[in-house]
Every structure is written in structure tokens, then in C-alpha cells.
Amino acid sequence: MRVCIIYDTKRGSTEKVAHWITEAIRDIAEVRVSRVTESPNVDDCDLVVIGAPIYYERPLPSVIEFIRSRNGFDGKRVAVFILCIADKFGKLGKKYTEARYMRLIIEPIRGEIIAKRVFDGWILRENIDQRHLAQDWIKRVLRAFQEGEVIDGIEHP
Ligand SMILES: Cc1cc2nc3c(=O)[nH]c(=O)nc-3n(C[C@H](O)[C@H](O)[C@H](O)COP(=O)(O)O)c2cc1C
């Protein structure tokens, strides 16, 4: 099974999460991690894990453009994650990240989405709490993938 983790970043936190995820499953799957700027091929990926940070109320446009350029990962199974700070602002913040940020990244995806995850982003100090959350998440995603299941709903920190 080949898992392709694809992301973009401006300040490095989404890259960090992508690498934490990679580290967690390196021994149990063939994993390839790439930034969208490397224009990775997804044809031979069984599971695509796509990640974006939120800037100015939307996922980084380069990630959306990448999804569109790969025909929305049509025919693939896909797991999605975003990093943002709005999620920290209580119930309302969580609702907002679901209704706006998650919706915007999901919109161009044509493959089967098996998991959707919000992580707390950061600006200056690395949020190390996200490490075990990300690693636990990707292991559950892999299990769901192997069992042909879908993780319902949008998961938050
Ligand atoms: C200039 C700027 C704009 C941002 N805009 C938003 C936003 O609209 N909503 C939000 O929830 N987070 C926003 N954030 C927080 C980022 O999503 C968060 O810092 C994320 O971890 C950045 O990812 P990166 O380090 O991979 O670039 C913003 C951060 C910066 C620095």
C-alpha cells in the first residue's frame, strides 16, 4: 500500500505535521511525502493524505489548485487535514472551521474522503501537542483504509 502525503506551507507548521504523520506510519506502509511545489504524481497512490494551512479565511490556494490539477483525486481514497487557529475559539470556532475551512478544501475533491481532521496551527511556538494527535489520527486512518471504512464527521483537537 502506498500512502502519499501532500501538503503546502508558508511558515512550516503544516510541513511539520506532514512529517509527524509520515514518521508514524513509515514502518507499516510505503509512504511518500511531498510539497505541492514538487508537483508529485498521485497515479500510483492508494491513499492520498492532503494537508493545508488556513490563511486569510481559506486553505492555501496552492493546495486547492493542486487538488484540481489532479482531477480532484478522482477514484482515490483521500484523507484531509487542515491547520488553523479559529478552531481554538470554542464551539463557534469549531463550527466555523467545519462550515468554511473544511468545506472549501473538500469542495474540489472527487475521490472518496475517508477522514477529515482539524489540527491547531501555530505561528511562533511549535505546538508539540499536535504531534501525538497527528500520529494517532494517521494510524486510525490507515486502519480505516485497510478495512474499507470511513471515519465519520470532522475530528478536532
Ligand atoms: C498572516 C496569517 C493569516 C492567517 N489567517 C488565518 C485565518 O484566516 N484563519 C485561521 O484559523 N488561522 C489563520 N492563520 C493561522 C494559520 O493557519 C496557522 O498559523 C498555521 O499553522 C500556518 O501554517 P503554516 O505554518 O504551515 O504556514 C493565519 C496565520 C497568519 C500568519
Side-chain angles (χ1 to χ4, degrees), residues 9-14 53-57 84-86 101 121-122:
T9 185
K10 271 186 154 191
R11 291 175 172 77
S13 55
T14 312
I54 304 297
Y55 278 92
Y56 306 109
E57 300 300 319
C84 62
I85 52 171
Y101 303 159
W122 62 86

Side-chain angles (χ1 to χ4, degrees), residues 5 23 30 46 78 96 108 122 130 133 146:
I5 299 166
E23 181 185 287
E30 189 187 332
D46 301 304
V78 184
Y96 190 74
W122 62 86
Q130 302 308 300
L133 294 177
Q146 283 159 344

